Amino acid sequence: MKICAWGNDSGSKNWRLLNPFKYLRRKGIQAYVSDKGINEEEAVWADINIVQSVTDKDGIALLYRLQQEYGKKIVVECDDWVDLNEDSPFKKEHEKYDARRTITRTMEVADMVTTTTKYLADKLRQYNDNVVVLPNYIDLSEWKLALPNESKQIRIGWTGSITHVEDMKLVVEPIRRICKEFKNVQLVMVGDPRVTELFKGMPVEGQNGVPPDVWPTKLRSLRLDIGLAPLQDNVFNRCKSNIKWIEYSIMGIPGVFSPIVYTDETNHSVHFDGTYGQVAENSEQWYRCIKNYIICENLRRDIASRARGCIISGYTLKTNIKKWTKVYKSLTK
């Protein structure tokens, strides 16, 4: 079986294509991510053509012609909600380039759509009946424990993209309370500088993001004691997956999370009841959860240890790559 994929420039390319394909090749499957635009030479070579960033209309037309003439299979890999009329930070940009129409039309002609969660899969079935959930799993070879924080400060961190500025507004007031109460707190915000601006007047350290391939090293270097992952409750965010929890947990960083992604069956029924993390639904709960971590080092250590163990035992590509193998082989029978 031969697979060629065309990815986007975000971290999802690593999570959804580059890293799984590394393990597929170990299973004897020829699976590669192209470093060129969609082209006939690679598309003809492959039995299955996977597209992640669906903006090249001519390229999609080529894949469709090869599908019709030679039976080449098309798979759309989607890890975000594509109905950009709802809640998307990219709405204006995508409407400008008519991206939604290209994405949804490609899904309609695809042989399969793969995605990250059950919730998102249910939303995408309006475009294609054959939507398959391939959850996010981690390549352990790329991730190590976070470097220890040897200072006297408690380092509370957030890492994210431009899609999460509004989400971070959920924690501004509880963190303001924390900073007034605890003088040994250091905030660490990595990514969009607009997030750092939200915490102006507080002890905040703003850092730029880095390319996805060096992100594990960057996160490790932050020496975080506590990780934050707030999400406003809307359709766009409900379609998100549990990557933030996976990243924090494999690094040994205990986290506080909004419940919309981290408490239901879309992410394998992981329970954040103080076992693998803490969940906060409102400002008071965010304050209490962060405070609990600050005043209790044992709580931080215990949750971090259990969460990391959970990742190693159930969320690695090494033990779950058979799911990818089974899904792709089903297209070539």
Side-chain angles (χ1 to χ4, degrees):
M1 180 168 54
K2 295 177 288 188
I3 303 172
C4 187
W6 288 271
N8 58 33
D9 294 326
S10 73
S12 63
K13 179 179 178 180
N14 292 54
W15 282 88
R16 307 298 296 168
L17 298 176
L18 288 171
N19 290 337
F21 282 18
K22 183 179 2 177
Y23 285 84
L24 287 176
R25 290 194 292 274
R26 296 176 186 176
K27 298 291 184 181
I29 296 172
Q30 298 181 66
Y32 299 94
V33 180
S34 176
D35 57 2
K36 301 182 288 187
I38 299 174
N39 63 89
E40 189 159 358
E41 180 182 3
E42 291 180 316
V44 168
W45 169 84
D47 302 306
I48 301 172
N49 289 299
I50 302 177
V51 286
Q52 186 179 46
S53 181
V54 187
T55 56
D56 180 357
K57 294 183 180 180
D58 291 338
I60 298 302
L62 167 64
L63 297 184
Y64 181 65
R65 175 171 65 79
L66 296 178
Q67 178 197 55
Q68 298 303 302
E69 294 181 3
Y70 302 105
K72 302 293 183 178
K73 304 299 183 181
I74 299 174
V75 174
V76 175
E77 161 53 34
C78 181
D79 71 343
D80 260 331
W81 177 223
V82 299
D83 190 339
L84 299 170
N85 292 319
E86 295 187 52
D87 306 316
S88 171
F90 299 117
K91 179 181 176 182
K92 290 183 179 179
E93 179 183 356
H94 282 220
E95 286 179 345
K96 179 180 178 181
Y97 296 102
D98 201 18
R100 180 180 180 274
R101 179 177 175 83
T102 306
I103 294 168
T104 56
R105 176 57 182 157
T106 307
M107 286 188 183
E108 289 169 354
V109 303
D111 298 281
M112 176 185 288
V113 176
T114 55
T115 193
T116 53
T117 71
K118 181 180 180 298
Y119 185 93
L120 181 52
D122 290 342
K123 301 292 288 184
L124 297 178
R125 287 194 178 94
Q126 63 184 289
Y127 308 116
N128 192 305
D129 292 333
N130 191 22
V131 181
V132 178
V133 176
L134 290 174
N136 287 312
Y137 297 111
I138 197 165
D139 179 7
L140 283 182
S141 67
E142 295 188 349
W143 297 79
K144 300 178 182 179
L145 279 168
L147 293 172
N149 177 12
E150 297 174 343
S151 73
K152 295 182 179 181
Q153 297 174 317
I154 299 294
R155 292 175 64 82
I156 302 173
W158 170 87
T159 63
S161 68
I162 60 174
T163 65
H164 295 296
V165 176
E166 292 300 313
D167 298 323
M168 284 301 290
K169 292 178 181 180
L170 293 173
V171 297
V172 172
E173 287 309 312
I175 288 180
R176 194 185 307 279
R177 291 176 64 187
I178 289 291
C179 291
K180 288 180 179 179
E181 187 170 348
F182 298 94
K183 302 307 179 183
N184 62 332
V185 164
Q186 176 65 59
L187 307 178
V188 183
M189 303 294 164
V190 182
D192 195 318
R194 291 176 298 175
V195 171
T196 303
E197 281 297 309
L198 294 176
F199 299 90
K200 191 173 182 179
M202 296 179 238
V204 58
E205 172 187 313
Q207 297 195 25
N208 294 327
V210 295
D213 57 327
V214 294
W215 173 238
T217 302
K218 174 70 172 182
L219 181 56
R220 183 170 186 256
S221 73
L222 298 178
R223 303 174 186 264
L224 298 182
D225 296 295
I226 303 166
L228 307 178
L231 290 172
Q232 293 193 8
D233 191 350
N234 57 48
V235 173
F236 184 78
N237 281 339
R238 282 184 175 271
C239 291
K240 292 292 185 181
S241 65
N242 58 351
I243 282 180
K244 197 66 68 183
W245 172 70
I246 293 176
E247 289 184 345
Y248 286 155
S249 296
I250 199 60
M251 287 277 177
I253 303 168
V256 187
F257 308 90
S258 289
I260 67 168
V261 168
Y262 297 100
T263 56
D264 61 21
E265 64 181 357
T266 64
N267 286 296
H268 314 281
S269 298
V270 173
H271 299 294
F272 291 80
D273 54 1
T275 302
Y276 302 124
Q278 296 189 86
V279 165
E281 295 192 62
N282 54 50
S283 182
E284 182 64 24
Q285 289 181 10
W286 276 102
Y287 164 75
R288 291 293 178 187
C289 288
I290 296 170
K291 181 176 180 176
N292 288 342
Y293 276 145
I294 291 174
I295 64 178
C296 188
E297 182 179 353
N298 286 341
L299 177 65
R300 299 200 303 270
R301 184 179 62 248
D302 291 347
I303 287 181
S305 177
R306 287 193 295 265
R308 191 168 193 271
C310 181
I311 298 296
I312 292 172
S313 65
Y315 288 79
T316 68
L317 278 168
K318 182 178 180 179
T319 57
N320 288 284
I321 196 59
K322 58 189 175 183
K323 296 178 182 179
W324 267 263
T325 304
K326 181 179 179 181
V327 165
Y328 294 143
K329 283 186 174 180
S330 71
L331 282 176
T332 58
K333 292 181 178 179

